[in-house]
Amino acid sequence: MELNRRTVIAGAAAAGVAATALGGTAQAAPGGRKPVRTLFGKLADGTKVHLWSLENGGTRLGVLSYGGIVHSLEIPDHRGRYANVSLGFDSIDDYVASSPYFGAIVGRYGNRIAKGRFTLDGTAYQLSVNDGDNSLHGGAKGFDKRVWDVEPFAQGSDVGLRLHYTSVDGEMGYPGTLRATVTYTLTRHGDWRIDYEATTDKATVVNLTSHVYWNLAGEGSGTIEDHELTIAASRYTPTDSGLIPTGELAKVSGTPFDFRKGKPIGRDIRAGHEQQVMAKGYDHNWVLDKGITQRPEHVATLRDPRSGRTLRIATDQPGLQFYSGNFLDGTLTGTSGRTYRQGDALCLETQHFPDAPNHADFPSTVLRPGQTYRTTTVHSFGR
């Protein structure tokens, strides 16, 4: 597997659509309809935040213009009963005040950069620091806290949204004006596809991802420790106490980090491994065996044995951050009216590696003028 260069990933946003308002039937309407927009709330400065509702192939998706947040994602269980499997809030005020990136697009750089510093082409940059001494998910006001322009589309048998945001030169300390487009598509098969695209006018670093908190038994239903997880990765990146990669690509064999054959998340979560103690569970980047690929390839499967719901993730990215909801502490109340406690959800973030700008041996996240950043992740659901 190549780890010393970046491959510019080919991927075009899927076109199409067949949609009904959230809460309709699981069947796509022939010919399709555009997503439905309703007012979700207003920010303190009066900016309106809209909720876009779309449905196709048995999957129902609710998306906010604030942060591109997946407010809800509903899929049926083995008996055909729907549940929202994504954590979130009922009000925009809660998202602004206390969201741990529920359902959001994160950027410019998903995950952590040590001390919020990196050097590019001989110039040192200091980023916004918002996670102890480090910069996390783009800084104090990253892409998750921006209002995106949303363009709905309905074409062929798919339905979706194109979300646009321009991050100006120097925003959160990052160089270059970055023009980003993230396309959410629901296919006729009910897959949720994310296509990321960005260009810049100055050399910069980019690592966009989605931060959905999954609980396939249903949001607010309790622990995900009985969920069965498979990750196609023979190595992971150990971290220091600040959850910054040490640079080592460690083997998962013989450790609690081995999910190659699949196992319940709770089986080894309290094994006492030094890495788990520091992270309070799992909060690490898995080095995917497939490396960087031209097209999305299957890398992970999550299954809830009670409901039968299954999530399969395919990506062209080289890494997957598995976070086991370690910092949910019972202080947040979700859309179900129930509180979220430690281990009540997990994240599976497709990505380049954390702190890659400071590790020459990691796949590069540098984007230069004239290049286009493109990457695709596909979520497929079963029961």
Side-chain angles (χ1 to χ4, degrees):
M1 178 175 63
E2 295 182 5
L3 292 172
N4 60 358
R5 68 182 179 89
R6 173 188 174 89
T7 299
V8 177
I9 302 165
V17 137
T20 60
L22 196 64
T25 68
Q27 289 147 11
R33 292 185 295 167
K34 285 186 178 180
V36 176
R37 187 184 77 167
T38 56
L39 181 64
F40 184 74
K42 294 181 180 180
L43 300 179
D45 64 0
T47 301
K48 293 180 179 179
V49 174
H50 292 103
L51 169 65
W52 291 87
S53 303
L54 50 157
E55 179 179 351
N56 203 9
T59 299
R60 304 167 178 170
L61 182 64
V63 177
L64 301 181
S65 55
Y66 179 80
I69 287 170
V70 172
H71 174 62
S72 62
L73 197 154
E74 296 182 87
I75 54 175
D77 65 7
H78 57 83
R79 296 182 179 178
R81 298 174 300 188
Y82 276 86
N84 173 22
V85 297
S86 172
L87 270 59
F89 295 119
D90 271 337
S91 76
I92 190 59
D93 291 342
D94 286 337
Y95 280 109
V96 171
S98 54
S99 179
Y101 304 96
F102 283 155
I105 298 168
V106 292
R108 289 189 194 187
Y109 200 97
N111 222 297
R112 294 173 175 85
I113 294 180
K115 309 296 183 183
R117 301 172 189 162
F118 68 93
T119 299
L120 179 59
D121 296 339
T123 300
Y125 295 96
Q126 177 62 60
L127 308 176
S128 165
V129 172
N130 62 326
D131 182 54
D133 294 333
N134 304 316
S135 182
L136 174 64
H137 294 330
K141 193 173 181 182
F143 287 7
D144 61 296
K145 297 176 179 66
R146 307 288 179 172
V147 176
W148 293 62
D149 293 327
V150 182
E151 173 192 356
F153 65 86
Q155 184 177 329
S157 59
D158 297 334
V159 58
L161 305 169
R162 294 186 184 92
L163 299 97
H164 307 280
Y165 177 69
T166 297
S167 176
V168 299
D169 184 21
E171 185 175 281
M172 297 294 104
Y174 287 90
T177 294
L178 189 82
R179 300 182 186 278
T181 298
V182 178
T183 302
Y184 291 164
T185 302
L186 286 187
T187 74
R188 64 187 179 89
H189 301 295
D191 295 345
W192 173 41
R193 173 175 172 140
I194 311 176
D195 290 281
Y196 305 88
E197 184 173 313
T199 59
T200 184
D201 62 0
K202 184 188 297 184
T204 191
V205 294
V206 186
N207 187 31
L208 305 182
T209 191
S210 172
H211 211 289
V212 171
Y213 283 68
W214 301 99
N215 185 323
L216 297 184
E219 172 272 336
S221 64
T223 183
I224 45 80
E225 289 191 8
D226 58 347
H227 281 37
E228 298 162 357
L229 178 63
T230 305
I231 304 175
S234 302
R235 292 178 290 174
Y236 76 105
T237 52
T239 70
D240 62 19
S241 60
L243 302 182
I244 298 294
T246 62
E248 179 187 4
L249 303 181
K251 293 182 179 179
V252 301
S253 180
T255 77
F257 294 84
D258 193 349
F259 284 87
R260 290 174 295 178
K261 294 183 179 180
K263 63 182 178 182
I265 290 168
R267 176 179 295 175
D268 298 323
I269 201 168
R270 293 172 179 81
H273 191 284
E274 179 186 16
Q275 287 290 309
Q276 292 174 298
V277 173
M278 287 191 297
K280 297 180 171 51
Y282 296 108
D283 192 2
H284 295 78
N285 170 68
W286 269 252
V287 180
L288 299 173
D289 290 340
K290 71 173 188 61
I292 298 172
T293 48
Q294 291 295 318
R295 295 179 179 82
E297 294 185 10
H298 174 238
V299 296
T301 299
L302 181 68
R303 180 178 180 273
D304 170 39
R306 289 178 290 169
S307 67
R309 295 186 184 95
T310 300
L311 164 65
R312 288 171 56 88
I313 295 179
T315 189
D316 45 28
Q317 293 286 272
L320 179 75
Q321 185 84 8
F322 164 37
Y323 166 58
S324 54
N326 314 327
F327 299 104
L328 298 174
D329 61 4
T331 61
L332 303 178
T333 301
T335 52
S336 63
R338 299 185 178 96
T339 57
Y340 297 146
R341 298 188 179 275
Q342 186 179 53
D344 278 358
L346 71 148
C347 301
L348 296 168
E349 304 155 63
T350 57
Q351 60 178 16
H352 270 55
F353 301 172
D355 200 34
N358 294 311
H359 294 269
D361 291 338
F362 285 1
S364 173
T365 55
V366 175
L367 180 69
R368 299 185 180 279
Q371 297 178 333
T372 301
Y373 169 94
R374 291 190 180 96
T375 178
T376 298
T377 295
V378 180
H379 305 80
S380 301
F381 306 102
R383 45 181 166 153

